[in-house]
């Protein structure tokens, strides 16, 4: 556990109060009775928790003279005042940082990209700090404080400790990123795995709103998966829950960077597709964009590589469905630019591998730009800010 930087404390002192605020954030405006029903709490608990949140300006009550109180409780709906606090979210990829400034409702007020000259922690931190200072300067114009910074990084991330344990794209091991970023920015920092951060945003504001159990599967430079079980984003005992990229689906398949063979990531991630297209066509394509052009141009060898990738992704999603039975799987990631080349194979392989009614799971494709991932990082910062059991 890290010490928390001093800052304005959020007036929710119990897990129930945090839950009530989150319920209004995701579903508001709601009356206190509706909040109680959604959160599964007593109306008295809601009334008690809402009062200090209104007094501190985080919630506002929409006054309707016609609304009649029920059991002495105001019947007016309450909603979050998005302008009460600001947050910054950063998504670090292998070659750039995407930053967003959001309000308390996680609405993006402004966004910025900076290229990464080098993937080392020092260079990345320098670029990140410069980007944060630009966004802080923008925030000045809104006249409210920036209450937290969220940073999303791919790989094995220990959110509680603020440490990136292993990020293959950046080649980082055991980097205490939260502490380093707190020192350079002066903000409280939350560091999380990038797909988990995106999953928080989908749970609160996206295609996961109102769902108890769903998954986000991302395809692109890597293959990732965020899991929501009983309404909670799952990290697992060791922080690596949902690593479907390293499900080995073909023991005789290509070697993966993790050391195993036939992992989904070794078949369906961008670097694997580029390698396989070169082998299949003999054409030395430089990157995923060139491989995609070749396939879109009708090259049968390249098209077959994408079809295999789709089948691998579909089998992996089938495994996710068989393991925890989500109501929906949201498929996203920059790899969706090839969606037309592997969508059918994903569906076929999923249908073939899902067991029984697990196959009823709704597969939904959602192309989300990197700003949405950065927004997810801001959502983790909001989560830390409003949680009474904060890290
Ligand atoms: Zn692997």
């Amino acid at each position: 556990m890290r010490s928390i930087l001093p800052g304005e404390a959020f007036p929710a002192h119990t897990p129930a109060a945090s839950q009530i605020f989150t319920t209004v954030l995701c579903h508001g405006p709601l009356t206190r009775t509706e909040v109680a029903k959604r959160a599964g709490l007593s109306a008295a608990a809601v009334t008690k928790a809402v009062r200090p949140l209104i007094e501190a300006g985080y919630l506002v009550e929409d006054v309707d003279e016609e609304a009649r109180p029920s059991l002495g409780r105001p019947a007016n709906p309450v909603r979050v005042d998005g302008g009460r606090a600001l947050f910054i979210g950063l998504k670090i990829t292998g070659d750039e940082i995407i930053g967003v400034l959001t309000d308390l409702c996680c609405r993006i007020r402004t966004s910025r990209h900076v290229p990464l000259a080098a993937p080392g922690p020092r260079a990345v931190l320098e670029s990140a700090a410069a980007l944060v200072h630009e966004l802080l300067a923008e925030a000045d114009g809104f006249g409210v404080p920036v209450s937290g910074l969220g940073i999303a990084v791919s790989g094995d991330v220990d959110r509680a400790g603020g440490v990136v344990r292993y990020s293959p794209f950046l080649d980082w091991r055991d980097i205490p990123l939260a502490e380093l970023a707190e020192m350079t920015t002066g903000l409280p920092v939350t560091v999380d795995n990038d797909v988990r951060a995106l999953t928080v945003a989908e749970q609160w504001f996206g295609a996961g709103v109102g769902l108890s159990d769903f998954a986000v599967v991302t395809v692109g430079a890597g293959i990732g998966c965020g899991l929501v079980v009983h309404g909670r984003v799952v990290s697992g005992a060791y922080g690596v829950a949902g690593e479907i990229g390293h499900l080995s689906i073909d023991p005789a398949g290509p070697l993966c960077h993790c050391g195993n063979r036939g992992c989904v990531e070794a078949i369906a991630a961008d670097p694997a597709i580029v390698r396989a297209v070169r082998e299949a066509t003999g054409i030395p394509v430089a990157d995923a964009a060139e491989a995609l052009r070749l396939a879109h141009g009708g090259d049968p060898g390249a098209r077959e590589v994408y079809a295999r990738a789709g089948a691998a992704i579909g089998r992996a999603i089938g495994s996710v469905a068989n393991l925890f039975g989500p109501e929906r799987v949201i498929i996203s990631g920059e790899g969706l630019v090839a969606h037309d080349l592997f969508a059918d194979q994903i569906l076929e392989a999923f249908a073939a591998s899902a067991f029984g009614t697990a196959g009823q799971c709704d597969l939904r494709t959602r192309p989300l730009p990197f700003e949405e991932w950065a927004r997810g990082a801001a959502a983790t910062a909001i989560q830390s800010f409003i949680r009474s059991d904060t890290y």
Side-chain angles (χ1 to χ4, degrees):
M1 290 282 166
R2 294 170 301 111
S3 61
I4 304 295
L5 289 177
E8 186 179 341
F10 187 72
H13 306 297
T14 61
S18 302
Q19 190 196 348
I20 287 163
F21 185 81
T22 310
T23 302
V24 179
L25 181 66
C26 302
H27 303 283
L30 294 172
T31 64
R32 289 164 177 77
T33 312
E34 288 167 337
V35 175
K37 200 186 281 178
R38 278 192 179 270
L41 295 163
S42 74
V46 173
T47 300
K48 189 174 168 209
V50 160
R51 193 177 304 124
L53 291 165
I54 288 180
E55 281 167 6
Y58 291 101
L59 291 181
V60 287
E61 191 159 2
D62 291 323
V63 179
D64 175 1
E65 301 297 341
E66 300 287 303
R68 288 215 303 271
S70 63
L71 298 171
R73 283 179 198 99
N76 295 319
V78 290
R79 61 182 167 81
V80 172
D81 179 1
R84 177 63 178 79
L86 295 170
F87 295 85
I88 292 174
L90 302 183
K91 148 87 172 157
I92 303 175
T93 74
D95 50 19
E96 65 174 345
I97 306 178
I98 302 93
V100 295
L101 176 71
T102 79
D103 66 13
L104 180 57
C105 292
C106 219
R107 288 180 292 233
I108 296 175
R109 296 292 183 100
T110 185
S111 65
R112 291 259 196 290
H113 287 223
V114 288
L116 279 182
R122 187 187 296 265
V124 171
L125 262 169
E126 274 175 18
S127 300
L131 185 56
V132 167
H133 284 114
E134 268 186 51
L135 292 167
L136 284 173
E138 293 262 354
D140 269 350
F142 294 103
V144 280
V146 172
S147 300
L149 165 64
I151 307 179
V153 184
S154 69
D156 177 358
V157 179
D158 168 16
R159 173 168 168 167
V163 176
V164 178
R165 286 193 289 231
Y166 175 47
S167 183
F169 298 135
L170 296 163
D171 198 22
W172 287 7
R173 283 180 195 275
D174 298 320
I175 305 295
L177 185 61
E179 195 182 328
L180 295 170
E182 281 172 359
M183 285 194 296
T184 53
T185 66
L187 293 169
V189 176
T190 304
V191 173
D192 210 339
N193 167 274
D194 58 352
V195 182
R196 267 204 305 267
L198 183 68
T199 303
V200 172
E202 285 297 279
Q203 182 188 27
W204 281 4
F205 314 108
V209 171
L211 300 183
S212 161
D213 302 277
F214 73 95
V216 175
V217 169
T218 58
V219 298
I223 306 290
C225 178
L227 303 171
V228 172
V229 179
H230 287 314
R232 291 187 77 96
V233 178
V234 174
S235 299
Y238 305 104
V240 290
E243 280 293 340
I244 63 163
H246 300 285
L247 282 177
S248 177
I249 59 167
D250 179 5
L255 194 63
C256 180
H257 61 84
C258 75
N260 291 309
R261 277 194 179 277
C263 293
V264 178
E265 196 155 298
I267 298 169
D270 284 349
I273 287 176
V274 170
R275 208 166 40 239
V277 167
R278 281 185 200 140
E279 281 168 18
T281 65
I283 299 169
V285 291
D287 53 24
E290 266 187 41
L292 185 63
R293 268 200 297 278
L294 204 56
H296 276 153
D299 184 289
R303 293 181 75 86
E304 177 55 30
V305 168
Y306 281 95
R308 267 205 306 273
I313 295 163
R315 285 185 67 178
I317 295 173
S319 297
V320 170
N322 291 349
L323 273 174
F324 89 108
E327 188 175 338
R328 176 173 298 156
V329 173
I330 300 158
I331 308 169
S332 191
E334 72 278 15
L336 284 186
V337 289
H339 186 246
D340 59 308
L341 295 167
F342 57 41
D344 291 347
Q345 289 78 7
I346 289 179
L347 290 176
E348 280 163 23
F350 170 75
S353 57
F355 178 74
T357 48
Q360 290 178 11
C361 170
D362 168 33
L363 302 195
R364 186 168 295 191
T365 306
R366 250 169 78 77
L368 297 167
F370 278 139
E371 280 77 9
E372 290 296 318
W373 296 61
R375 183 176 180 237
T380 65
I382 296 172
Q383 201 174 44
S384 296
F385 179 68
I386 66 179
R387 259 179 21 191
S388 62
D389 57 343
T390 192
Y391 297 116

